[in-house]
Amino acid sequence: MALRLLYLIVLRVFGWFTLLVRSQASKDAEILVLRHQLAVLRRQVAVPRPSWADRAILSALARLLPRCRRCHLFVTPRTLLRWHADLVKRRWTYPRHGPGRPPIRPTIRALVLRLAAENPDWGYRRIAGQIAGLGRKVSPATVWAILKRAGFDPAPRRSGPTRAEFLKAQASGILACDFFSVETVMLARLYCLAVVEHATRRVRVLGVTANPTAGRVAQQARNLMLDLGNRIGDFRFLIRDRDTKFT
């Protein structure tokens, strides 16, 4: 596949070199003829089916066209992004080994729902412990999933605000940070550190790097404190995961 693409690129390059010796009037006439042929073909072909080599050439040359001319191609910018997403998915999709997680047995599902209905104050961990006491082995995560699908609260609270109520009441004092990844045109992965202010939903992108480290995260945190200035005292909570880079 790579050799074929290289061969096609060489052919195209030599074809472009031959255009340099032609007169401007000849090239303008050929452009008009090709545009008319393209208009005729568009009336006859509903959905063109370019090959992977055609996609590579069109993607490389589309950026050289003026922005107004890109709209007249049958390859729209959304199509180019979809091709890139397909390449990313193909690279990061690994073959699955084994049948995966076994299905939940109906008897376990019925037992979990029965204990939840008869004991509305029990959370999913206590239900998992009671089932383990009966000699059945089931993980708390499985119990949580069963209760969630059935419409039960996996972790009911006897008193105090719920998580949603707490976040709404304390939104002005909450920051949340995490990394998300993006793929470049050459399928190189970059990591972006973002911070969200819950009260205003404002997202601050602190930095983009290919090698995130704990020292870089600490420096970005210092930069964030400088940007917030006097507002830093308004924030009391930071939501994050257990990534070791959050020192």
Side-chain angles (χ1 to χ4, degrees):
M1 182 181 294
L3 291 177
R4 182 185 175 189
L5 180 59
L6 181 61
Y7 173 73
L8 293 174
I9 292 175
V10 172
L11 287 182
R12 295 292 182 182
V13 171
F14 280 108
W16 296 334
F17 283 152
T18 58
L19 293 176
L20 298 178
V21 300
R22 295 176 54 184
S23 64
Q24 187 65 33
S26 175
K27 289 186 285 187
D28 292 341
E30 184 178 358
I31 291 176
L32 293 176
V33 172
L34 291 177
R35 283 186 177 180
H36 185 70
Q37 289 180 355
L38 182 59
V40 174
L41 292 176
R42 280 178 174 173
R43 294 197 298 264
Q44 299 177 5
V45 180
V47 181
R49 300 182 181 276
S51 64
W52 64 269
D54 298 330
R55 296 178 179 181
I57 294 175
L58 291 173
S59 300
L61 296 179
R63 60 185 298 271
L64 302 178
L65 295 175
R67 187 178 297 272
C68 59
R69 296 302 305 170
R70 298 176 189 175
C71 301
H72 299 283
L73 297 175
F74 69 85
V75 180
T76 62
R78 179 177 298 179
T79 304
L80 296 178
L81 292 176
R82 180 172 56 82
W83 289 349
H84 184 262
D86 292 340
L87 290 176
V88 174
K89 182 170 60 176
R90 185 182 307 173
R91 178 179 181 181
W92 295 104
T93 300
Y94 300 99
R96 294 184 59 184
H97 300 284
R101 178 178 294 184
I104 302 173
R105 288 181 293 178
T107 55
I108 295 295
R109 187 188 306 275
L111 181 58
V112 169
L113 296 179
R114 178 181 176 183
L115 290 175
E118 295 178 355
N119 304 275
D121 295 336
W122 286 9
Y124 68 99
R125 292 189 178 275
R126 183 169 182 179
I127 294 176
Q130 292 294 329
I131 295 177
L134 297 176
R136 305 291 185 89
K137 188 176 181 180
V138 58
S139 68
T142 301
V143 176
W144 188 94
I146 294 173
L147 296 177
K148 194 68 176 179
R149 293 193 190 100
F152 288 93
D153 188 358
R157 297 175 59 92
R158 296 186 179 183
S159 61
T162 63
R163 177 177 175 83
E165 294 173 347
F166 170 80
L167 292 177
K168 185 176 180 180
Q170 303 292 336
S172 59
I174 295 178
L175 289 175
C177 65
D178 201 357
F179 281 95
F180 67 91
S181 61
V182 294
E183 306 290 337
T184 64
V185 175
M186 303 305 295
L187 300 183
R189 174 161 289 191
L190 300 178
Y191 297 90
C192 306
L193 177 60
V195 173
V196 182
E197 300 180 19
H198 270 237
T200 60
R201 297 296 190 269
R202 179 179 179 181
V203 179
R204 298 174 179 266
V205 178
L206 302 186
V208 181
T209 178
N211 300 302
T213 60
R216 184 182 296 272
V217 172
Q219 182 59 45
Q220 296 299 334
R222 298 187 189 98
N223 297 340
L224 175 64
M225 295 183 66
L226 293 176
D227 292 339
L228 293 176
N230 296 331
R231 295 183 55 223
I232 192 61
D234 299 336
F235 299 101
R236 300 176 53 199
F237 304 98
L238 177 66
I239 300 177
R240 61 175 178 87
D241 57 18
R242 297 186 178 183
D243 195 331
T244 56
K245 292 185 288 294
F246 297 129
T247 59

Coordinates of all heavy atoms in Angstrom, one line a residue, residues 38 41-52 54-55 58 72-76 79 82-83:
L38 N -16.6 18.0 -14.9 CA -17.0 17.7 -13.5 C -18.4 18.0 -13.3 O -19.1 17.3 -12.6 CB -16.1 18.5 -12.6 CG -16.3 18.3 -11.1 CD1 -16.1 16.8 -10.7 CD2 -15.4 19.2 -10.3
L41 N -20.5 15.2 -14.7 CA -20.4 14.0 -13.9 C -21.1 14.1 -12.6 O -21.7 13.1 -12.1 CB -18.9 13.7 -13.6 CG -18.0 13.2 -14.8 CD1 -16.6 13.1 -14.4 CD2 -18.6 12.0 -15.4
R42 N -21.2 15.3 -12.0 CA -22.0 15.5 -10.8 C -23.5 15.2 -11.0 O -24.2 14.8 -10.1 CB -21.7 16.9 -10.3 CG -20.4 17.0 -9.5 CD -20.2 18.5 -9.0 NE -19.1 18.6 -8.2 CZ -18.6 19.8 -7.8 NH1 -19.2 20.9 -8.1 NH2 -17.5 19.8 -7.0
R43 N -23.9 15.5 -12.2 CA -25.4 15.3 -12.5 C -25.6 13.8 -12.7 O -26.8 13.4 -12.6 CB -25.8 16.0 -13.8 CG -25.7 17.5 -13.6 CD -26.5 18.2 -14.7 NE -26.0 17.9 -16.0 CZ -25.1 18.7 -16.7 NH1 -24.7 19.9 -16.1 NH2 -24.6 18.4 -17.9
Q44 N -24.6 13.0 -12.9 CA -24.8 11.6 -13.2 C -24.5 10.7 -12.0 O -25.1 9.6 -11.8 CB -24.0 11.2 -14.4 CG -24.4 11.9 -15.7 CD -23.5 11.5 -16.9 OE1 -22.7 10.6 -16.7 NE2 -23.7 12.1 -18.0
V45 N -23.5 11.1 -11.2 CA -23.0 10.3 -10.1 C -23.5 10.9 -8.8 O -23.3 12.0 -8.5 CB -21.5 10.2 -10.1 CG1 -21.0 9.3 -8.9 CG2 -21.0 9.6 -11.4
A46 N -24.3 10.1 -8.1 CA -24.9 10.6 -6.8 C -23.9 10.6 -5.7 O -23.6 11.7 -5.1 CB -26.1 9.7 -6.4
V47 N -23.2 9.5 -5.5 CA -22.2 9.4 -4.4 C -20.9 8.9 -4.9 O -20.8 7.7 -5.3 CB -22.7 8.5 -3.2 CG1 -21.7 8.5 -2.1 CG2 -24.1 9.0 -2.7
P48 N -19.9 9.7 -5.1 CA -18.6 9.2 -5.6 C -18.0 8.3 -4.6 O -18.1 8.5 -3.3 CB -17.8 10.4 -5.9 CG -18.4 11.5 -5.0 CD -19.9 11.2 -4.9
R49 N -17.2 7.3 -5.0 CA -16.5 6.4 -4.1 C -15.0 6.4 -4.4 O -14.5 5.6 -5.1 CB -17.1 5.0 -4.3 CG -18.6 4.9 -4.1 CD -19.0 3.4 -4.2 NE -20.5 3.3 -4.0 CZ -21.0 3.2 -2.8 NH1 -20.3 3.1 -1.7 NH2 -22.3 3.1 -2.7
P50 N -14.3 7.4 -3.8 CA -12.9 7.5 -4.0 C -12.1 6.4 -3.3 O -12.6 5.9 -2.2 CB -12.5 8.9 -3.5 CG -13.6 9.1 -2.4 CD -14.8 8.5 -2.9
S51 N -11.0 5.9 -3.8 CA -10.2 4.9 -3.2 C -9.3 5.6 -2.1 O -9.3 6.8 -1.9 CB -9.3 4.3 -4.2 OG -8.4 5.2 -4.8
W52 N -8.6 4.8 -1.3 CA -7.8 5.4 -0.3 C -6.7 6.3 -0.8 O -6.3 7.2 -0.2 CB -7.2 4.3 0.6 CG -6.2 3.4 -0.2 CD1 -6.5 2.2 -0.8 CD2 -4.8 3.6 -0.3 NE1 -5.4 1.7 -1.4 CE2 -4.3 2.5 -1.1 CE3 -3.9 4.6 0.1 CZ2 -3.0 2.4 -1.4 CZ3 -2.6 4.4 -0.2 CH2 -2.1 3.4 -1.0
D54 N -7.0 8.1 -3.6 CA -7.7 9.3 -4.0 C -7.9 10.2 -2.8 O -7.7 11.4 -2.8 CB -9.0 9.0 -4.7 CG -8.8 8.2 -6.0 OD1 -7.7 8.4 -6.6 OD2 -9.7 7.4 -6.3
R55 N -8.2 9.6 -1.7 CA -8.5 10.3 -0.4 C -7.2 11.0 0.0 O -7.2 12.2 0.5 CB -9.0 9.4 0.7 CG -10.3 8.8 0.4 CD -10.7 7.8 1.5 NE -12.0 7.2 1.3 CZ -12.6 6.4 2.1 NH1 -12.0 6.0 3.2 NH2 -13.8 5.9 1.8
L58 N -6.4 14.0 -2.4 CA -7.4 15.1 -2.2 C -7.2 15.8 -0.9 O -7.3 17.0 -0.8 CB -8.8 14.5 -2.3 CG -9.2 14.1 -3.7 CD1 -10.6 13.4 -3.6 CD2 -9.3 15.2 -4.7
H72 N -16.7 23.7 -3.3 CA -17.2 23.2 -4.5 C -16.7 21.8 -4.8 O -17.0 21.2 -5.8 CB -16.8 24.1 -5.7 CG -17.4 25.5 -5.6 ND1 -18.7 25.7 -5.9 CD2 -16.9 26.6 -5.2 CE1 -19.0 27.0 -5.7 NE2 -17.8 27.6 -5.3
L73 N -15.9 21.2 -3.9 CA -15.4 19.9 -4.0 C -16.4 18.9 -3.5 O -17.2 19.2 -2.6 CB -14.1 19.7 -3.3 CG -12.9 20.5 -3.7 CD1 -11.7 20.3 -2.8 CD2 -12.5 20.2 -5.1
F74 N -16.4 17.7 -4.1 CA -17.4 16.7 -3.5 C -16.8 16.1 -2.2 O -17.5 15.4 -1.5 CB -17.6 15.5 -4.5 CG -16.3 14.7 -4.7 CD1 -16.1 13.6 -3.9 CD2 -15.5 14.9 -5.8 CE1 -14.9 12.8 -4.1 CE2 -14.4 14.1 -6.0 CZ -14.1 13.1 -5.1
V75 N -15.6 16.5 -1.8 CA -15.0 16.1 -0.5 C -15.1 17.4 0.3 O -14.4 18.3 0.2 CB -13.5 15.7 -0.7 CG1 -13.0 15.3 0.7 CG2 -13.4 14.5 -1.6
T76 N -16.0 17.4 1.3 CA -16.2 18.5 2.2 C -15.2 18.5 3.3 O -14.7 17.4 3.6 CB -17.7 18.5 2.7 OG1 -17.9 17.3 3.4 CG2 -18.7 18.6 1.5
T79 N -16.0 15.6 5.5 CA -15.5 14.3 5.0 C -14.1 14.1 5.3 O -13.6 13.0 5.7 CB -15.8 14.2 3.5 OG1 -17.2 14.5 3.3 CG2 -15.4 12.9 3.0
R82 N -13.8 13.2 8.9 CA -14.2 11.8 9.1 C -13.1 10.8 8.6 O -12.9 9.8 9.3 CB -15.5 11.5 8.3 CG -16.1 10.1 8.5 CD -17.4 10.0 7.9 NE -17.5 10.4 6.5 CZ -17.1 9.6 5.5 NH1 -16.7 8.3 5.7 NH2 -17.2 10.0 4.2
W83 N -12.5 11.1 7.5 CA -11.4 10.2 7.1 C -10.3 10.2 8.2 O -9.7 9.1 8.5 CB -10.8 10.7 5.8 CG -11.7 10.5 4.6 CD1 -12.8 9.8 4.6 CD2 -11.5 11.1 3.3 NE1 -13.4 9.8 3.3 CE2 -12.6 10.6 2.5 CE3 -10.6 11.9 2.7 CZ2 -12.8 11.0 1.2 CZ3 -10.8 12.3 1.4 CH2 -11.9 11.8 0.6

